[in-house]
Amino acid sequence: MTFSYIVELVLETGKKLIDVLIVWLALYYILKNLRKNVKMVLLFKGILIVLILKVISDLLDLVTIGFLLDYVIEWGPLALIVIFQPEIRSVLEQLGRSQLLGRHKVLTVDEREKMVYEITNALDYLRKQSIGALIVIERDNSLNDYIEKSKKIYAEISSDLLISIFFPNNPLHDGGLIIQGNRITSAGAVFPTSDNLKISKRLGTRHRAALGISEVSDCISIVVSEETGRLSIAIEGELYYNLTLDEVKLRLLEELQPKKDTFIDEEEVSDEENKDNI
């Protein structure tokens, strides 16, 4: 066995592994996002039913149904692209919005705590006055598409500013507010509403918009109900309804904390121990 043959074998094996890995990553991404989209779930079920019927027709030699299924399988992909064009575009847009580093990861511990403090102070006032609000915090997925179509602000986060933006009769009251890092980037943003059938019919457009933007990005959406003053948070296509102010605060601190902080803290502790030993 020559050296060149071994190199060729390794390269060929590597290509196959990369090929399989790409396929598995694609399947993982599709299945991960499938549960968040009701229409895509129904589409997936329909495809499974067609494939099962095709297998049954082949096994039992059913000529008529097999003939019809052949046409469905042949022209089905083209029909699906036309019918589900909005959903396909949404998935592609989500890919385009992905970033390697989220803006929240550059925040220090003090900056995160100050940010959560100002937000919760505003939420406390808004809920007591039953003033509706929708605050969206960007993470790894960029929200620039929605920022471009809203009113730019670029201001430091403060509870007074948050309250004034959502105060009744304010022109920006009905839209959503977007936060990037520790800055209020824009207000009056319009987000896609969720089609999730599990949402209670009592919840209005603001809650559906919060859930909708959380389904197409990894942002954190905070909602204050205008009717009841109740607080809710939408994350990764899940709506956590009627939370207390303390629960909102703890959830924000948890979700905004970068994973690398754990390692940093451990290193700092070890450094302090070494200093003590010296």
Side-chain angles (χ1 to χ4, degrees), residues 196-215:
N196 195 328
L197 300 177
K198 297 180 181 179
I199 304 178
S200 173
K201 294 182 179 179
R202 295 177 298 174
L203 300 180
T205 305
R206 189 174 281 111
H207 287 83
R208 290 185 176 275
L211 187 58
I213 189 61
S214 74
E215 291 174 343

Side-chain angles (χ1 to χ4, degrees), residues 103-268:
R103 295 176 183 269
H104 71 290
K105 293 184 179 179
V106 301
L107 297 179
T108 64
V109 175
D110 291 338
E111 287 173 335
R112 288 200 306 274
E113 290 182 349
K114 181 179 183 302
M115 171 182 171
V116 174
Y117 172 79
E118 296 293 343
I119 292 175
T120 51
N121 270 359
L123 293 176
D124 189 31
Y125 178 87
L126 294 170
R127 72 184 179 92
K128 289 179 179 178
Q129 301 298 322
S130 293
I131 298 175
L134 172 55
I135 300 173
V136 176
I137 304 174
E138 180 189 86
R139 295 202 284 180
D140 287 343
N141 298 140
S142 173
L143 299 176
N144 285 335
D145 290 346
Y146 305 100
I147 293 172
E148 290 298 324
K149 300 175 184 178
S150 58
K151 185 67 175 178
K152 315 298 188 303
I153 296 179
Y154 299 114
E156 290 187 4
I157 299 174
S158 70
S159 57
D160 292 337
L161 180 56
L162 291 172
I163 292 170
S164 64
I165 289 174
F166 290 109
F167 205 79
N169 299 324
N170 188 310
L172 302 176
H173 166 72
D174 290 329
L177 180 144
I178 299 177
I179 294 176
Q180 289 181 316
N182 61 344
R183 297 272 179 174
I184 299 174
T185 304
S186 67
V190 178
F191 302 117
T193 56
S194 175
D195 295 327
N196 195 328
L197 300 177
K198 297 180 181 179
I199 304 178
S200 173
K201 294 182 179 179
R202 295 177 298 174
L203 300 180
T205 305
R206 189 174 281 111
H207 287 83
R208 290 185 176 275
L211 187 58
I213 189 61
S214 74
E215 291 174 343
V216 298
S217 75
D218 65 340
C219 67
I220 304 171
S221 302
I222 311 166
V223 185
V224 181
S225 173
E226 192 168 357
E227 296 181 356
T228 63
R230 293 177 177 176
L231 303 176
S232 304
I233 288 183
I235 301 174
E236 296 182 352
E238 295 290 338
L239 182 65
Y240 303 92
Y241 183 67
N242 194 19
L243 301 177
T244 65
L245 192 63
D246 288 336
E247 288 174 335
V248 171
K249 181 178 180 180
L250 291 174
R251 178 58 68 96
L252 288 177
L253 289 173
E254 179 183 354
E255 294 294 336
L256 291 171
Q257 182 179 5
K259 296 180 181 179
K260 63 181 181 182
D261 275 8
T262 304
F263 301 100
I264 293 174
D265 292 339
E266 291 177 356
E267 292 174 1
E268 291 176 352

